[in-house]
Amino acid sequence: KNMASLCSHFEVKNERAHRAMGDVMATSQIFSRMMPMLEEKGIQTMEDLLLFQHGRWKPKQLLSNQ
């Protein structure tokens, strides 16, 4: 997704889109709103998030049972 669609999805207003500070502030708000969703899935680290993004993440409890 692009920044505009993420802002829309997470209901974040970015009044200074395509400007460094505006985009940084919007990214911070989006990430803060994503945190509860990520925590529900057991995603705890940036490595977990990157694996999840690429479809290679598996919950740690599943891995420890194998």
Side-chain angles (χ1 to χ4, degrees):
K1 292 188 172 191
N2 62 36
M3 178 67 83
S5 64
L6 288 170
C7 284
S8 177
H9 179 78
F10 288 101
E11 300 178 348
V12 169
K13 198 172 220 174
N14 186 359
E15 295 176 0
R16 303 218 5 111
H18 307 292
R19 297 284 179 235
M21 189 55 73
D23 288 347
V24 165
M25 297 300 292
T27 300
S28 173
Q29 290 177 38
I30 290 166
F31 191 69
S32 292
R33 293 178 185 188
M34 285 177 60
M35 289 303 296
M37 295 168 30
L38 297 173
E39 289 172 355
E40 280 181 21
K41 294 182 181 301
I43 296 170
Q44 298 176 343
T45 67
M46 189 58 76
E47 181 181 10
D48 292 344
L49 180 58
L50 292 172
L51 290 170
F52 179 76
Q53 176 185 5
H54 296 288
R56 299 188 317 246
W57 182 81
K58 299 220 184 326
K60 288 178 177 44
Q61 64 267 28
L62 291 179
L63 295 176
S64 64
N65 292 335
Q66 294 180 356

